[in-house]
Amino acid sequence: MFTYHMPARIRFGVGESSQLPDEIKALGITRLLIVTDPGILKAGLVTPIAELLEKSGIHIEINDQVAQNPRDTDCLHGAELFNAINAEAVLAIGGGSAMDTAKTIALLAKSGGTPSDYADGHLPYRQIAPILCVPTTAGTGSEVTRSAVITESSTHRKMTLKHENMRPVLAVLDPQLTVSVQASVTAATGVDALVHAIEGYTCTVTSPLSKAYGAEAMRTIVPALPLAVEDGKNLRARTKMLEGSLLAGLSFGNADVASVHCLAEALGSVYDTPHGVANAIFLPHVLRFNADGHVPLHATLARLMRFASDTDSDERAMEKLITGIFSFTRLLGIPLLSELPRISQEDFGRLVDLAYENGSTPSNVRSITKQEYRMILEETYAYNG
Ligand SMILES: [Fe+2]
């Protein structure tokens, strides 16, 4: 038994962002709030789209107050602006941070309250403005998912807002917009997408559809990512990566993530570590833990990602998965946990608590205790390549 919900119209291809005016008009929308961050604006990705929209008679206002880890206060200001200009929809142009901020603005503008009210269950998710997304990184998949991760400024707590109403209605993916992303960000966001595929495929709440999308995402991402990191202008590799991150979003977006994300989000809360870097650091260690007891499943992952072949035994394929992922992340230039700034073993208790309390812990394929999270964290910290 499963449910799969996917309301977004998806338009994909090099140059497809030029079709935005027609797509938006077809939705009957004439007034838009564009949500982006100062880096994307400076990179020149917003202006051509804004000009196209204005030329076609769509009234726009640009809000570039998006932080790397999106804050509740910016969402509240965005919602005020949305209502002040009588906007009818939000258009996110950017990575996961811009899209998550836009989703939350769309909710607050129509239903009031603060992000904490929804994350803590004090307010129901009711009306929401239409959400339109143009991703500029290949990683998050937020253009097709129902969630947004927002930081509560007063406590630094990372909150997940999650509801079917928060799924975008339009996603336009143009690989051309991702060519200027620097190599280290390409690597980190790309591994985030791979983890979405792996966790969407293996989690306890997966479905045949999430598995199909996850499998295709793994097959697509592993060969493309090193090429996109090596040469950002390789449009074929960029196209494959954007395709892979979309497929991964379609996988976990109707299932869940699991313990790699639980540890990564804990690290992000305490040290502000970029999400993709944190995921990449924990991925091989969590896989090693999960594979114990789920050998055939992890042998399948190894074969999907071409770390092992059909002639390898399950046991051998599972071993090749672990060594393959270790060398894959090192090849991409992902740092070790011990190489990150400010990491202190004194914080490990807090990190373990945060990971264990994460709502996605029960979704991990192998049930996991606090002690086991501690063991994985210690092992990751001691690992020196
Ligand atoms: Fe993620």
Side-chain angles (χ1 to χ4, degrees), residues 6-146:
M6 187 52 236
R9 174 174 163 81
I10 297 167
R11 197 153 177 166
F12 188 104
V14 174
E16 284 295 276
S17 54
S18 64
Q19 302 303 315
L20 266 166
D22 287 349
E23 291 289 338
I24 291 168
K25 278 188 181 165
L27 291 167
I29 293 162
T30 56
R31 299 180 72 81
L32 263 185
L33 177 66
I34 294 180
V35 177
T36 189
D37 68 61
I40 299 291
L41 201 59
K42 210 171 146 207
L45 298 181
V46 178
T47 309
I49 294 174
E51 284 175 359
L52 270 181
L53 293 171
E54 279 179 324
K55 235 185 250 170
S56 68
I58 297 168
H59 180 84
I60 56 154
E61 196 78 35
I62 297 175
N63 171 12
D64 70 353
Q65 297 306 299
V66 170
Q68 189 187 326
N69 284 305
R71 294 179 295 238
D72 51 359
T73 43
D74 295 330
C75 298
L76 286 162
H77 290 145
E80 269 173 37
L81 179 59
F82 182 99
N83 286 325
I85 63 162
N86 291 318
E88 294 158 352
V90 286
L91 169 64
I93 304 176
S97 306
M99 291 191 268
D100 286 5
T101 303
K103 287 175 171 179
T104 310
I105 288 174
L107 174 68
L108 301 182
K110 289 290 175 187
S111 292
T114 66
S116 320
D117 290 333
Y118 296 93
D120 296 338
H122 298 145
L123 277 180
Y125 294 78
R126 283 182 312 214
Q127 277 188 299
I128 186 159
I131 302 159
L132 325 174
C133 288
V134 178
T136 59
T137 58
T140 162
S142 192
E143 67 275 10
V144 289
T145 69
R146 63 191 149 176

